Amino acid sequence: MSEPKALIRPDRGEDAIAIHLVNKDGFEAFAKGLTAGQRASLAAQKFEGGGYQTAIVPDGDSWFAVGGVANPESLSSWCLAKLAEELPEGTYRLATGDPGPAMFGWVTGQYRFARYKSEDKAQGPRVLLTGQVGQIEPALAEAEAECLLRDLVNAPPEDMGPAAIEAECERLAKAHKAELTVVRGDALEQDYPMIHAVGRAAARHHAPRLMHLVWGDAAHPVLAVVGKGVCFDSGGLNIKPGAGMRLMKKDMGGAAHALALAGLVMGARLKVRLHLLIPAVENAISGGAFRPGDILRSRKGLTVEIDNTDAEGRLILGDALTRASEENPDLIVDFATLTGAARVALGPDLPALFARNDETAEAFLAAGKAHDDAAWRLPLPEAYREYLASDVADMANSASNPFAGASVAGLFLDRFVGEGIDWVHYDTFAWSPAPKPGRARGGRGLGLRGAWHAIRARYA
């Protein structure tokens, strides 16, 4: 796709094609103001003002566009996305009103992942002009973060292994003058034993590591952002079936969310001391793979009996959350493509949100709802901690029964977050299984914008 910054510009009165927005209730009145030929053109295109309908209408020697929306007076993030996907290359402006939140979907509607296409037949950019000059930069920042996330998730696992995530952390650190530390090899085995154990079976060029980026004034409140970076998940010795393994390139979707969020935080220069922690591994199968029945010692000192090697994401997050807690943070936010149970409960479009603090949970949920990135809170019931009991270790990594899998995984992570620390956990899907306007099939942010707006409000 074109550079996002080129897709929205301040309106300085230059020539542009008009976009008229109409809904079904207002279509009849709108059509009365058109010529017979224009009405015939709309009828031929079966345009009636329905959601996401688009049409091109001749107007003398030129033409204008029409888009169907639910409410022309109150646009969502996605109201202009279908138009951005389908209109020809050119420059556009709304005939009346302002795009507001729909600027986001105008950009993401033009997203394409064509890096591996031998022929890219994408059309040129569709540029939107707006008088809301002050809203352009923040809207573009969010859209760029979303497009980065999608690029990371969509990349094939051979090209998006731990080293590639490290390179992305290096790029981010350089762009914002942050400090990056990478722990690998013997130091990783010593200090982050669960991260090392999960990733030790991978090929040398996909060796496990922990990235720790630090930015901001040390006098400001500490914000820790943690992302699960399982670059490919075979399931380990508890190997997944083929259908379950097919999309496991997206198992680093939590890391992609964390990187995108960290970029937003630093780009806005929020008054926080940011700690970004990304454990990056490939859960591979070889003679060095960790096994069911093994007992791992964690950075925190807790021992974990391995019941299932396919419950590996919580292991690497456990060590990373322990390290984050050592900074005495004001808030920890983590993202992980953690459980199939969350998808069974909530489907692909609604990430599960877990939090210790009710007020914090409400703030994140409200921010998500307000910015078309809703999440749904699931509980952390004390009674379910017993599901992780082990006869031979402090805890097991997988439940002894099939119930409440997302909550039980959250309870596992809770053991590694320091006592009294405010903590939010997103169990996200990071993927669109079917295309929707502004949301192409493939990698997708689910929880990113809600978390960003909640954090920005908290530290404004």
Side-chain angles (χ1 to χ4, degrees), residues 279-290:
V281 303
E282 180 177 345
N283 187 19
I285 300 171
S286 75
F290 74 121

Side-chain angles (χ1 to χ4, degrees), residues 256-274:
H257 279 74
L259 281 160
L261 178 60
L264 286 167
V265 168
M266 292 187 287
R269 304 199 65 79
L270 287 192
K271 292 183 177 181
V272 296
R273 177 70 163 175
L274 175 67

Side-chain angles (χ1 to χ4, degrees), residues 98-130:
D98 296 307
M103 283 189 266
F104 180 81
W106 182 268
V107 176
T108 62
Q110 297 181 57
Y111 174 85
R112 295 181 76 254
F113 186 73
R115 186 182 306 167
Y116 296 87
K117 292 274 191 180
S118 56
E119 289 187 47
D120 184 7
K121 299 179 181 179
Q123 59 183 316
R126 283 74 76 200
V127 178
L128 181 67
L129 305 179
T130 175

Side-chain angles (χ1 to χ4, degrees), residues 387-413:
Y387 293 175
L388 292 169
S390 166
D391 292 334
V392 293
D394 294 325
M395 59 194 304
N397 79 317
S398 184
S400 56
N401 60 51
F403 306 128
S407 290
V408 172
L411 288 166
F412 181 95
L413 298 182

Side-chain angles (χ1 to χ4, degrees), residues 164-222:
I165 292 184
E166 178 182 337
E168 187 58 36
C169 290
E170 289 175 348
R171 183 198 65 79
L172 198 63
K174 184 176 181 181
H176 297 283
K177 296 181 172 59
E179 177 187 339
L180 177 65
T181 302
V182 182
V183 184
R184 56 169 76 84
D186 291 343
L188 187 75
E189 183 176 9
Q190 178 67 33
D191 295 336
Y192 301 92
M194 293 201 296
I195 298 174
H196 175 269
V198 172
R200 72 191 186 199
R204 181 176 296 181
H205 67 291
H206 287 320
R209 63 204 72 191
L210 174 77
M211 276 67 75
H212 185 179
L213 179 150
V214 181
W215 172 89
D217 191 332
H220 291 157
V222 172

